[in-house]
Amino acid sequence: MAEHCVRAFGSFVTERASACVYVAALEASRQVNLVDLARVARRSVFAIGREAKRVVRVLGLRTEPLDPVLRAETTVNRVFGYVHKAQADTVFKAQVMELIAGTTQNARCVPERLIEYLSDASTRPKLIALTARLVEFSRSCALSAGVSANTLTCAAIAIAIEHYMASCPDNTKVLRRSQRVCIYKLAALPNGTSQQSVARHVSQVHRALVEASKTVPWLSDIKKNVDAVVDHVEDVLFCYQQAQAWVFSTQTECEDAEQSATSQVTKVVSELSKAPAF
């Protein structure tokens, strides 16, 4: 299959070969993690996902790449589409600001700040990358069970926006809950889901991130709460991934299957205490 695709598509052999591996695994009903595949190939997960769709189309296969991580780029693009339209159309901007506005006094300035922050084109790539990592984290913690892929991705982009807005050099204040609601509304608005659904899943992911923050050595002296985690989301995701990889590598096949079924953050954290050096 890989040889056929290379002849058909030409260059970018690594991306296309990786896409062929992913599609072949789907055809054989084998579980393949697209994020891990992209990491090994040292290519963008979205580039491989796009190539996988092209492979399916060219070869006329019925398999459809449905990895939720692939939705991150589309979901972020919809949000940025709304923001760019709001920047160009003052009437539309007023409508959007009214729809995402909070009900409290301290949340009234957030819609303007939010649209201004997202109007910077340089924020898009890093939001896509962090959204994909948060989606993968949610799946590894079994938080995706019973949640639509759309809601899962919207919650991930909301947390990504929270993180980058909180870490802005000119932002000296912690975002309050009433202010975060504006972010949840903006994530939900262009993606056809409700702010309540997004907020509910964001809360679940926040709780998992607070627990996972125990794997970050340099955060051991700070109070573990949502505000602290929002500031250090990237550190938490990196260290938890390393901890999870170590725990899985020390388990037998039987234990590994049980862990992947439950996939609880607390189990990884408790097992981490047995690590010789982390």
Side-chain angles (χ1 to χ4, degrees):
M1 185 185 289
E3 185 181 350
H4 173 87
C5 291
V6 170
R7 285 202 309 268
F9 300 137
S11 57
F12 305 109
V13 176
T14 303
E15 288 176 7
R16 271 124 197 192
S18 301
C20 289
V21 170
Y22 179 64
V23 172
L26 293 179
E27 284 285 300
S29 300
R30 295 190 178 185
Q31 295 294 326
V32 173
N33 189 313
L34 192 58
V35 173
D36 289 341
L37 184 61
R39 190 178 298 119
V40 171
R42 297 184 179 180
R43 291 293 184 273
S44 164
V45 66
F46 305 108
I48 295 176
R50 283 192 292 269
E51 291 303 326
K53 291 180 180 178
R54 190 178 300 178
V55 168
V56 168
R57 187 171 63 250
V58 169
L59 298 180
L61 302 175
R62 293 183 179 180
T63 301
E64 180 65 27
L66 295 174
D67 197 303
V69 172
L70 296 177
R71 300 182 64 97
E73 188 173 33
T74 304
T75 305
V76 172
N77 284 342
R78 287 193 188 120
V79 173
F80 272 85
Y82 256 58
V83 170
H84 292 159
K85 187 176 178 180
Q87 289 293 93
D89 187 338
T90 54
V91 175
F92 183 74
K93 181 178 181 180
Q95 292 173 346
V96 171
M97 288 181 62
E98 185 178 351
L99 288 170
I100 68 174
T103 56
T104 61
Q105 180 69 31
N106 58 27
R108 290 181 182 174
C109 64
V110 175
E112 182 74 38
R113 283 173 52 201
L114 190 54
I115 291 175
E116 183 181 351
Y117 172 72
L118 293 176
S119 62
D120 183 357
S122 65
T123 61
R124 180 179 163 275
K126 62 182 183 181
L127 278 175
I128 292 174
L130 185 55
T131 298
R133 291 177 65 192
L134 283 162
V135 169
E136 186 57 30
F137 172 77
S138 298
R139 293 171 66 197
S140 72
C141 302
L143 294 174
S144 58
V147 180
S148 71
N150 190 37
T151 301
L152 177 72
T153 315
C154 288
I157 187 177
I159 296 172
I161 293 173
E162 279 181 355
H163 168 67
Y164 285 121
M165 284 193 70
S167 58
C168 279
D170 58 344
N171 186 30
T172 57
K173 296 181 180 179
V174 174
L175 288 171
R176 298 183 181 180
R177 183 176 299 179
S178 58
Q179 296 174 319
R180 289 176 178 146
V181 169
C182 300
I183 299 175
Y184 306 158
K185 287 180 177 179
L186 181 61
L189 187 61
N191 289 293
T193 188
S194 68
Q195 170 254 319
Q196 290 82 3
S197 297
V198 173
R200 228 176 0 252
H201 194 67
V202 165
S203 297
Q204 293 176 355
V205 179
H206 274 160
R207 285 195 293 271
L209 285 169
V210 169
E211 184 67 20
S213 67
K214 294 175 183 177
T215 64
V216 186
W218 52 90
L219 297 183
S220 57
D221 295 333
I222 70 169
K223 185 178 179 180
K224 306 294 190 299
N225 56 30
V226 172
D227 292 334
V229 163
V230 165
D231 284 342
H232 298 92
V233 167
E234 292 178 291
D235 291 337
V236 173
L237 292 177
F238 173 77
C239 289
Y240 178 74
Q241 182 187 31
Q242 301 301 308
Q244 191 179 45
W246 181 85
V247 170
F248 286 176
S249 70
T250 60
Q251 293 178 334
T252 64
E253 241 179 76
C254 179
E255 290 173 331
D256 197 31
E258 182 184 349
Q259 175 64 29
S260 62
T262 55
S263 194
Q264 298 296 322
V265 182
T266 50
K267 189 165 185 176
V268 173
V269 173
S270 63
E271 289 290 327
L272 187 62
S273 61
K274 303 173 186 177
F278 176 72

